[in-house]
Amino acid sequence: MSTSDTQHRGGDAALINASIARLRDGLVAGEYTSADLAAAFAQRIETIDPSLNSLVSRVEPVEPASSTGRLVGIPYVHKDIFCAKGTRTTCGSRMLADWVAPYDSTVHERLSRSGAVLLGKSNMDEFAMGSSNENSYFGAVANPWDVSAVPGGSSGGSAAAVGARLVPFATGTDTGGSIRQPAAFCGVTGIKPTYGRVSRYGMIAYASSFDQGGVIAKSAEDCALVLGEMAGFDERDSTSADRPVPDYVAGLDESIRGLRVGIPKQWFSDALDPAVGDAVSAAIDELRAAGAETVEVDLPDADIALAAYYLLAPAEASSNLSRFDGVRFGYRCEDPKDLQDLYERTRSEGFGSEVKRRILVGTYALSAGYYDAFYRRAQKARRLVTDHFQRAFEQCDVIAGPVTPTPAFDRGAHSADPAKMYLEDIFTIPVNLAGLPGMSVPAGFVEGRPVGLQLIGRHFDEARLVNVAHQYQQRVDWHERMPSLAADSANDNREG
Amino acid sequence: MSQFAIPSGWEVVIGLEIHAQLATRSKIFSGASTAFGAEPNAQACAVDLGLPGVLPVLNEGAVRMASLFGLAIDAEISRVSSFDRKNYFYPDLPKGYQTTQLARPIVVGGSVTVTTGEGKKAGEHTIRVTRAHLEEDAGKSLHEDFHGMTGIDLNRAGTPLIEIVSEPDMRNPEQAVAYARKVHAIVQYLGICDGNMQEGSFRVDANVSVRPEGDEKLGTRTEVKNVNSFRFLQRAIEFEIERQIDLLETGGEVVQATRLYDPDRDETRLMRTKEEADDYRYFPCPDLLPVVVDDETIESWRAELPELPDAKAERYQSEYGLSAYDAGVLTSSRATAEYFEAVVAREGADAKLAANWVMGEVAALLNRLECEIGACPVPADKLADLLERIADGTLSNKLGREVFEALAEQGGSVDEIIEARGLKQISDTGAIEAMVDEVIAANPGQVEAYRGGKDKLFGFFVGQVMKAAKGKANPQAVNDVLKRRLAGD
Amino acid sequence: MSLTNDQLQTVAHLARIAVEPEWTEALRSDINGILDQARRLDDPRLNDLEPMAHPLDQVQRLRPDSVTETDQRETLMDGAPAHEQGLFLVPKVIE
C-alpha cells in the first residue's frame, strides 16, 4: 500500500468513524498496517487539533508491543494523568510541565500489552479539578461540536479528541464526573467503572477514594473492548479489586427484555434543563421499546452529596498534592532563599488558582477543630448517599437519568463563580461517593450541542452497563454522528 | 558517675516514646531494600520518593513484627487497625505526609516490668504501654555544605517503624532507662529490630514533667529528642528535671516544648514550642484499607515467640541456681544471653562459674574495648574451652585469667596457649610429692615446730611448694600431699 | 461558619501556598460559599451513620516481605530540579 493510499484510507470518513472491531478486521485482513493507521490518525491530529487544543503532547507511535492482543495497532491517547515511561506527563499543570514519567502506570502497561498504540497525551483540567477544561496550564480545550462551548472536564481533551475522531479511543479518569460529563458534552460514550476495577497505580491522584480510570470511545462496544483490557486486579494498588474481569464484549448482544430500569424522580426537577430532560426521556423510551421496564426510584439528597464531595475531595487532594514541593521532581521556583520560600513560591507559581482553591478548602476542612464538623460529617453523608443507591437497586437493575443538568455551556460562562460550576456535577458526584460504575451515552442534541444519558450500575456490574448502552445504540445513531469539524476534514482528506 | 538525686518535695513524671525500626527486608509500603549504608538514594524507589501516581502496599512482615511486640508485652492485637496521614512539610518527608496509625493502632495496652537498684534497694515497677503503632520512617537531611544547600537522602524513607508509647508511669531517670533497656531487649529477643542506637534503629524520646510532691495535677511537660544512648537518656532526663525544678523554684514556668539533647554540652535546648507546632491534619489514608488480622494468624505468631527476658531470667534461677540479680544481668540483652547459653551448653559446664566469668572477665573486657558482646574477641566456645580446663584442674582461676587475656589479644586455642606458655598446672601426684619431700627435707626446724602443734605453719609449706612449682602446682593436690607428708605418712 | 482573614492566612501557611492580598477577598468568598453548602451536613439523619472512608468494603492486602526494587537512582533523579552526588538539594535546613 502506498503512502498516498494510506492517507486516503486513513482519512476515509468511514474508517475514521469505524468501530475498533472494524479497524482490527482491516488490520488482520492486511488492508493497512498498524503504522498506516497510526500515521492516518496522527495526520488528523495534525490537521484538526490546532482548533481544539485537545492534546498537550504528541507521542511518536511505536510498533505494537504485542501481536496477539485485542487492541493491536489501535491508536489512542492517554489523559495526561497517566504515567507512561519516557513521555512527558503534565496533569495539565505548570508543576509538571516538563516532567517525564520514569515509570509506567498499570493502565499504560496493560494497554501496551494489548497492542494499542499511543499517539499522545490529552489536555485536562489541572490535576483533574474542573468541569470545563478551562483550568489547564496548557490552555482551554474547545468542544468539537461548537468551539465556543467547553468540552467538559476534567477529561475534556480525551472527550474532544474522540468526538473529533482524532483517535478511536482515549483514557480518562472520573473523580466526580470527569469521564461522563465531558463524554456527554462531546457526544461520545464514556464509562467510569466501579471504584477498584481499574488500577490507580501511575494515575496521578486527585482524590484517592474517588478517582477511577476508564474509557472514552465512540460506542459502548468500543468501551467494552477497551475496558476489558484496562481492568483487573493490580497488586501495586491496595484499593484494586481482586476479582476476575468478565468478557464485556461477549454479553453486548444480550437482550434487555425484562431489565428493570430505575428512574430517579428527584433528578427530573427544576434543576434540569427541560430540553435535556426531553432528550433523556426519549432515550429511556428507547430502552422501554427494547423491552426494558422502568420503575421510579428515590435518589434524594443530591445537595448533601455535593456538599460532602466538595469537602472530601479537596481534603484528600490537599494531602495528595503536598508532594509537589519542588524537591524531587517537577517545577521549582527560581532561587529560593530558604525552605519556606522554596515551598511557598514553588506551589504558588506551580499550581493554578482552582487547584490552590481546593487545596486551601481541603486544608481547612482537615485542620484542628474542623475535622469532626466537616470531614467526618462528610464521610457520614457518603454513607447516606450510598444507602440511597442500595435501596434503589433493590427495585431495579440499572439506573438511567441525565449526566448533566445542561448541555455544554459557553467558555467563560462560570469563571466568575466556581461554586456554581460545581452544580454541573450534581448527577455524577453521587455515583462517585458510592463507588458505582456509571456510563454516559450520546442521547441527542440541544441546540447543536450533545446531551448524554447516564446509566448507573451496581458495583462491578459494568458488563450490564455496556450491554444496555449497546442495545440502546443498536436503536439510535447519536453515537455515529460526527461534528462537522471532523467530518469535513475527513472529506477534505478524501478529496486531497 | 552522676551524683543526681531528685530534690525532696518534688515528684518527677516520665513517659517515653520509642521508635524501633523493624528488621524487615523491604520497606513498609514498597519493595525497596531497607539495608543500612547504601549509596544515597540508591534504595529509594518511585514509591519511597512519592513520585506522582505511586501507591503504597503494606508489608506483611511489618504487621507480623509489630504484632510480635504486642504479644511479647501482653498487649491486645487489634483485629482491625488502620492508617492515617499526618500532614506536614519537611524535605526528608517525600509525600508531605507521614503514613501512620493514629485512630486505630495495631497494638493496644500491654506492660513491661523493670527492676531498678540492687540487693536490698532493688525494686520492681510495672510500666504500662499505651499503644504501639506502625508508621513509616522519614529520610535524612545531610547538612554538609553543598554550596550552602542541604542534601536529602531518602534511603531511610519508608523503613517500617513501631512507635511504642508508654503511660507516664516512670518516676525517676533510672526507671526510664530500665524501661528503655527492657524494651530494647524485647525487640532484640524478638528479632524485630537490630537495636542499633548509633545508626538510629532504636530512638527514644522522653516526656518529662515535675510537680510538687502530693499534687494531683501533672506539671507542664517537655519532650526531649535526639537521645541516642541509654547514658544520654539518663543525662537528658536528669538535666531536664533540674532545669524544670530550677525554673519553678525561681518563680518561672515550664513551657511546653520539644527540646533537643546536646551530648557535647550535656544539656537540652529548645527546638520548638507548642505554639509553633504544626496542625497535622490527620485523616484516614485513602490509599490503604483497614488491616484485618484473624485469631488464627495471631495464634500462629504467638507460637513464634521466643523465650523472653523475664522467662529466661526465671529459668536461669531455677535451672542454674543463679541469683535474681545475676539472671537479670545475663538476660538483659539477647546477645549476652546467647553468649552465656553457648558457654553453658558445653557438656558438664558449671553454670555459676560461667555466669561469674561472663559478668566478670568478659564484661570487663568488653568495657575496656568498648565493644558489643556479639563482637567479643573471645567467642563463647573459647570461653567454654577455658572453663573446661579450669574445671578439670588444668588451670587455676588465676592462670585462667592469663589464658583469657591471651585469647583476647592474640586468639588461638586454649590448649595451645597453655602449652606455649607452659601454664599447665602440675596435678601429677608424683611430681608434687617430689617437691613436697624436697621442701620438708630443706626445712627440718619448721617441720618439727608444725608437728609440735604450730598449725599456722601449714601456709608456709604451701608457699614453699608453690614457689618450687613456679605457681603451677594444683593447690588442692599440694594441700593433700603436704597434709599426708607432714603427718608423717 | 465563615472563614476570617487570619484563618485564611493560617490555612495558607499550612498548605504552603501564598495568598496575595488582591486574591484574599475572592478566595474567602469562594471558600465561604463551599462552607455555606457544607451546612447541609448538619442534617440530623447523618448523626448515627457510620463514616465511610472507602466505597468498597475490602480489607488491606499484605505484600510478602521481599525486595523487588533495584537501584533506579539515575532514572528517578533525572527529573529532580537540583541534585548532586546522589542527593536532592534544598535550601539549607536549620535545625
Side-chain angles (χ1 to χ4, degrees):
Chain A
M1 200 159 56
S2 75
T3 311
S4 62
D5 238 10
T6 308
Q7 275 172 1
H8 176 82
R9 285 193 172 279
D12 189 296
L15 199 53
I16 61 150
N17 206 25
S19 69
I20 294 174
R22 168 71 192 89
L23 293 174
R24 282 288 304 139
D25 287 347
L27 282 163
V28 172
E31 290 172 34
Y32 37 80
T33 65
S34 61
D36 295 336
L37 212 50
F41 280 101
Q43 181 59 47
R44 285 186 64 75
I45 291 170
E46 189 78 42
T47 317
I48 299 170
D49 199 47
S51 55
L52 293 177
N53 195 31
S54 73
L55 303 187
V56 293
S57 307
R58 300 277 298 275
V59 173
E60 229 12 80
V62 293
E63 275 294 298
S66 151
S67 57
T68 56
R70 295 177 88 172
L71 297 174
V72 173
I74 305 300
Y76 75 107
V77 293
H78 270 308
K79 182 177 184 178
D80 206 16
I81 198 168
F82 287 100
C83 292
K85 190 172 179 171
T87 68
R88 187 171 78 131
T89 301
T90 70
C91 224
S93 182
R94 181 184 192 191
M95 196 60 99
L96 293 176
D98 300 312
W99 187 63
V100 175
Y103 74 102
D104 277 336
S105 56
T106 299
V107 161
H108 182 69
E109 214 171 76
R110 285 180 185 234
L111 289 177
S112 297
R113 206 185 304 144
S114 71
V117 177
L118 183 68
L119 290 190
K121 307 293 284 294
S122 71
N123 205 340
M124 56 182 285
D125 281 305
E126 185 180 5
F127 286 102
M129 298 179 190
S131 311
S132 68
N133 225 306
E134 291 167 295
N135 301 332
S136 168
Y137 177 64
F138 300 94
V141 177
N143 189 315
W145 291 92
D146 180 345
V147 292
S148 62
V150 301
S154 64
S155 313
S158 284
V162 175
R165 303 302 189 259
L166 304 187
V167 277
F169 77 91
T171 58
T173 63
D174 191 317
T175 305
S178 282
I179 286 176
R180 290 159 291 158
Q181 185 250 23
F185 281 9
C186 293
V188 293
T189 309
I191 183 162
K192 172 210 113 67
T194 309
Y195 182 82
R197 181 72 294 182
V198 168
S199 169
R200 294 188 296 115
Y201 186 80
M203 191 180 105
I204 299 173
Y206 160 22
S208 313
S209 76
F210 298 89
D211 296 344
Q212 181 57 209
V215 192
I216 292 172
K218 292 183 295 290
S219 65
E221 180 195 333
D222 287 357
C223 282
L225 181 58
V226 177
L227 180 61
E229 300 305 297
M230 275 169 71
F233 174 65
D234 179 9
E235 58 181 26
R236 288 174 298 185
D237 174 1
S238 296
T239 60
S240 158
D242 190 2
R243 52 156 73 205
V245 178
D247 186 337
Y248 297 123
V249 176
L252 287 174
D253 291 329
E254 275 173 33
S255 160
I256 58 167
R257 190 155 295 281
L259 179 88
R260 296 173 303 160
V261 178
I263 315 295
K265 60 174 181 245
Q266 289 87 350
W267 290 14
F268 293 83
S269 66
D270 295 350
L272 184 65
D273 178 331
V276 173
D278 290 347
V280 171
S281 297
I284 292 168
D285 287 343
E286 287 295 339
L287 297 179
R288 252 187 238 114
E293 298 162 14
T294 53
V295 286
E296 200 168 77
V297 295
D298 249 341
L299 284 180
D301 299 325
D303 55 341
I304 289 182
L306 216 61
Y309 176 83
Y310 278 106
L311 288 175
L312 292 173
E316 291 185 16
S318 71
S319 173
N320 283 335
L321 270 59
S322 291
R323 69 189 60 197
F324 299 98
D325 59 4
V327 177
R328 296 163 316 285
F329 48 79
Y331 180 76
R332 167 182 276 195
C333 65
E334 289 281 334
D335 298 323
K337 67 178 198 299
D338 56 28
L339 206 53
Q340 169 69 17
D341 189 41
L342 167 72
Y343 288 145
E344 204 172 282
R345 271 203 295 132
T346 295
R347 292 167 61 77
S348 300
E349 295 163 12
F351 290 136
S353 60
E354 181 62 21
V355 172
K356 287 191 268 193
R357 182 176 3 250
R358 294 198 198 189
I359 289 175
L360 292 168
V361 169
T363 303
Y364 181 62
L366 288 176
S367 61
Y370 300 100
Y371 180 81
D372 284 331
F374 290 137
Y375 194 83
R376 254 179 91 78
R377 252 353 245 182
Q379 281 192 320
K380 288 173 169 224
R382 194 170 186 180
R383 177 79 59 193
L384 179 81
V385 171
T386 305
D387 289 349
H388 290 331
F389 275 112
Q390 209 151 31
R391 228 162 283 134
F393 279 120
E394 286 166 10
Q395 295 168 264
C396 64
D397 305 308
V398 295
I399 290 167
V403 179
T404 56
T406 65
F409 44 89
D410 286 346
R411 288 159 77 166
H414 292 329
S415 52
D417 186 357
K420 186 137 186 239
M421 170 110 77
Y422 296 166
L423 287 171
E424 284 297 318
D425 307 327
I426 194 158
F427 304 132
T428 48
I429 277 173
V431 177
N432 297 83
L433 286 174
L436 298 167
M439 266 190 104
S440 176
V441 185
F445 295 86
V446 170
E447 289 169 19
R449 295 180 183 181
V451 168
L453 165 73
Q454 182 170 210
L455 297 170
I456 302 161
R458 297 193 181 101
H459 284 137
F460 299 104
D461 214 4
E462 287 83 2
R464 194 194 301 265
L465 285 190
V466 290
N467 167 231
V468 175
H470 181 69
Q471 289 304 307
Y472 171 69
Q473 290 181 338
Q474 297 306 293
R475 309 179 65 86
V476 298
D477 71 345
W478 304 119
H479 61 291
E480 304 281 358
R481 309 244 182 129
M482 275 193 285
S484 55
L485 171 140
D488 291 352
S489 159
N491 291 333
D492 287 351
N493 273 6
R494 195 206 305 254
E495 281 148 23
Chain B
M1 276 307 283
S2 101
Q3 296 299 312
F4 179 82
I6 297 170
S8 65
W10 291 96
E11 185 177 46
V12 172
V13 177
I14 306 164
L16 298 188
E17 286 167 22
I18 296 176
H19 287 87
Q21 275 184 355
L22 297 177
T24 52
R25 285 182 283 273
S26 62
K27 294 191 178 171
I28 184 167
F29 299 124
S30 83
S33 169
T34 55
F36 185 82
E39 284 285 299
N41 290 305
Q43 287 176 179
C45 71
V47 173
D48 306 325
L49 295 183
L51 291 191
V54 298
L55 294 169
V57 183
L58 182 58
N59 183 341
E60 188 267 345
V63 176
R64 184 182 136 265
M65 289 182 182
S67 303
L68 284 177
F69 178 75
L71 292 170
I73 61 162
D74 278 327
E76 179 149 341
I77 308 304
S78 301
R79 297 310 191 263
V80 182
S81 63
S82 57
F83 284 91
D84 303 283
R85 290 186 184 174
K86 176 182 182 179
N87 294 284
Y88 64 96
F89 285 90
Y90 205 71
D92 65 13
L93 188 72
K95 300 184 295 293
Y97 56 83
Q98 181 194 32
T99 310
T100 179
Q101 297 188 304
L102 177 76
R104 294 188 290 183
I106 183 134
V107 172
V108 178
S111 64
V112 170
T113 301
V114 300
T115 308
T116 52
E118 234 184 283
K120 280 183 186 155
K121 286 191 194 157
E124 245 189 24
H125 306 274
T126 298
I127 315 299
R128 290 168 300 159
V129 170
T130 317
R131 55 186 282 153
H133 61 257
L134 278 164
E135 62 185 25
E136 57 184 339
D137 208 343
K140 281 180 182 164
S141 304
L142 303 171
H143 303 293
E144 293 107 74
D145 205 11
F146 296 97
H147 337 287
M149 308 276 271
T150 290
I152 306 294
D153 174 10
L154 296 172
N155 279 347
R156 199 179 69 175
T159 298
L161 293 174
I162 43 171
E163 180 176 341
I164 304 157
V165 182
S166 84
E167 291 289 316
D169 281 354
M170 289 150 276
R171 293 289 171 268
N172 57 53
E174 290 73 30
Q175 285 174 11
V177 171
Y179 165 78
R181 281 186 184 277
K182 192 60 162 285
V183 171
H184 188 250
I186 291 171
V187 296
Q188 289 192 307
Y189 269 73
L190 293 170
I192 63 171
C193 175
D194 69 18
N196 191 322
M197 295 179 82
Q198 294 305 313
E199 287 172 7
S201 310
F202 189 89
R203 316 197 279 268
V204 184
D205 301 335
N207 287 304
V208 181
S209 68
V210 299
R211 62 183 169 192
E213 219 160 15
D215 266 21
E216 290 284 309
K217 198 168 157 284
L218 287 173
T220 305
R221 65 168 199 216
T222 55
E223 183 180 12
V224 186
K225 283 184 179 292
N226 198 32
V227 181
N228 64 4
S229 78
F230 294 119
R231 195 163 61 82
F232 291 161
L233 175 63
Q234 171 110 17
R235 281 300 305 137
I237 294 172
E238 288 173 0
F239 179 86
E240 206 37 41
I241 292 169
E242 281 169 344
R243 191 186 69 84
Q244 291 186 13
I245 291 176
D246 270 1
L247 268 173
L248 294 172
E249 283 182 341
T250 54
E253 61 180 44
V254 177
V255 179
Q256 185 166 349
T258 302
R259 303 180 66 86
L260 277 183
Y261 178 68
D262 180 345
D264 295 331
R265 307 171 69 166
D266 187 23
E267 63 179 28
T268 68
R269 62 167 193 271
L270 185 67
M271 193 173 151
R272 60 168 178 267
T273 63
K274 192 176 180 242
E275 282 67 41
E276 302 163 39
D278 258 328
D279 172 348
Y280 292 123
R281 290 157 285 136
Y282 285 98
F283 77 109
C285 178
D287 287 329
L288 292 162
L289 299 170
V291 181
V292 174
V293 279
D294 56 26
D295 293 352
E296 201 184 329
T297 310
I298 290 173
E299 286 319 306
S300 77
W301 286 335
R302 197 189 300 280
E304 265 183 53
L305 285 179
E307 187 181 35
L308 291 164
D310 289 350
K312 206 181 265 296
E314 260 174 51
R315 180 167 65 82
Y316 284 8
Q317 292 175 60
S318 61
E319 191 175 328
Y320 302 131
L322 302 183
S323 71
Y325 178 79
D326 288 0
V329 172
L330 289 171
T331 56
S332 64
S333 85
R334 176 178 166 168
T336 307
E338 275 172 356
Y339 186 96
F340 171 72
E341 287 181 23
V343 175
V344 297
R346 183 65 58 87
E347 180 91 36
D350 178 339
K352 277 189 180 165
L353 181 68
N356 287 338
W357 273 78
V358 173
M359 293 166 61
E361 298 304 318
V362 174
L365 175 68
L366 296 176
N367 212 12
R368 205 164 68 228
L369 301 179
E370 290 180 5
C371 92
E372 299 291 324
I373 196 159
C376 182
V378 181
D381 60 328
K382 293 276 175 64
L383 181 62
D385 291 344
L386 174 60
L387 298 188
E388 211 173 347
R389 289 289 164 264
I390 291 175
D392 70 10
T394 309
L395 292 174
S396 63
N397 250 318
K398 184 161 166 273
L399 291 179
R401 279 195 282 277
E402 194 176 332
V403 174
F404 183 82
E405 292 305 325
L407 283 171
E409 271 158 39
Q410 70 211 38
S413 89
V414 170
D415 287 343
E416 277 166 15
I417 292 169
I418 292 171
E419 194 65 38
R421 301 197 170 194
L423 296 176
K424 198 164 178 168
Q425 186 169 255
I426 302 165
S427 299
D428 173 46
T429 318
I432 291 173
E433 277 172 352
M435 284 188 280
V436 167
D437 290 345
E438 260 175 54
V439 168
I440 287 176
N443 299 287
Q446 279 82 350
V447 172
E448 201 156 328
Y450 178 82
R451 286 181 176 152
K454 256 190 134 179
D455 288 354
K456 280 183 184 163
L457 279 170
F458 189 75
F460 162 79
F461 293 111
V462 172
Q464 291 300 305
V465 175
M466 280 299 183
K467 198 172 161 192
K470 299 195 175 75
K472 283 180 281 184
N474 181 326
Q476 195 55 49
V478 172
N479 279 2
D480 292 349
V481 173
L482 259 179
K483 274 196 182 135
R484 264 190 288 121
R485 285 290 201 258
L486 286 171
D489 283 349
Chain C
M1 234 169 301
S2 128
L3 188 74
T4 65
N5 259 331
D6 277 359
Q7 281 175 311
L8 181 61
Q9 289 307 330
T10 307
V11 167
H13 175 69
L14 282 174
R16 300 296 188 274
I17 284 174
V19 174
E20 309 302 339
E22 59 270 25
W23 194 32
T24 312
E25 271 321 302
L27 190 60
R28 266 186 60 205
S29 109
D30 290 350
I31 293 176
N32 283 330
I34 292 165
L35 299 181
D36 269 350
Q37 276 195 27
R39 287 214 197 102
R40 315 256 159 105
L41 302 178
D42 295 340
D43 194 308
R45 286 177 299 154
L46 300 182
N47 292 355
D48 298 327
L49 291 175
E50 180 68 19
M52 183 170 146
H54 286 98
L56 296 178
D57 192 20
Q58 290 185 155
V59 302
Q60 179 62 38
R61 200 166 17 81
L62 301 178
R63 180 176 62 75
D65 179 22
S66 56
V67 176
T68 53
E69 297 290 334
T70 53
D71 177 7
Q72 301 286 322
R73 183 173 80 179
E74 218 156 298
T75 319
L76 296 178
M77 238 180 200
D78 215 35
H83 61 97
E84 197 176 302
Q85 296 171 43
L87 297 162
F88 298 101
L89 296 188
V90 298
K92 197 149 198 73
V93 176
I94 302 135
E95 280 203 347

